[in-house]
Amino acid sequence: LEKSEMLNAQKRKCLSALAMDICLPCLLFSAVLPEADGQLLVEGWELLLWPFIYATVSALLGVLCCMAVGIPKQHLGAAAACAGFPNVNGFPVSVVSALGSAIPA
């Protein structure tokens, strides 16, 4: 489609956003919600609370460790974000390591 100029970079970006922001969440909710009921919420309430606790404790620990090591104060916000949400800052590393052998030196 790209060679026939039907799909350029702008259209590809729009389709990607449509898939990520609309189609995938709709698929998730249509697959998960029919299985959900009140008993599931009663049994798994702590799963709703755990991410907030984890992110808060991780961010505080990250800031405390940075202060102990002597990281400049202007970087404490970024350090707290990286510690609170570790899967976000590790993604580029895994992509680079996976594609590293394909990139010519």
Side-chain angles (χ1 to χ4, degrees), residues 3-40:
K3 288 184 181 182
S4 64
E5 296 180 3
M6 290 179 66
L7 186 65
N8 58 18
Q10 182 181 6
K11 291 176 185 174
R12 211 173 37 239
K13 184 178 179 181
C14 180
L15 286 173
S16 174
L18 179 70
M20 290 298 293
D21 296 338
I22 296 175
C23 296
L24 285 177
C26 287
L27 178 65
L28 174 70
F29 285 119
S30 67
V32 172
L33 283 182
E35 303 290 326
D37 62 355
Q39 184 63 27
L40 182 65

Side-chain angles (χ1 to χ4, degrees), residues 16-92:
S16 174
L18 179 70
M20 290 298 293
D21 296 338
I22 296 175
C23 296
L24 285 177
C26 287
L27 178 65
L28 174 70
F29 285 119
S30 67
V32 172
L33 283 182
E35 303 290 326
D37 62 355
Q39 184 63 27
L40 182 65
L41 185 60
V42 169
E43 292 176 2
W45 66 268
E46 54 273 325
L47 293 175
L48 296 173
L49 186 61
W50 180 246
F52 297 109
I53 294 171
Y54 178 82
T56 303
V57 170
S58 297
L60 288 173
L61 250 155
V63 169
L64 289 175
C65 288
C66 287
M67 291 170 69
V69 184
I71 300 290
K73 289 189 186 243
Q74 71 254 25
H75 300 299
L76 289 181
C82 289
F85 306 102
N87 59 340
V88 174
N89 63 352
F91 180 71

Side-chain angles (χ1 to χ4, degrees), residues 91-103:
F91 180 71
V93 174
S94 62
V95 170
V96 169
S97 65
L99 296 177
S101 59
I103 299 172

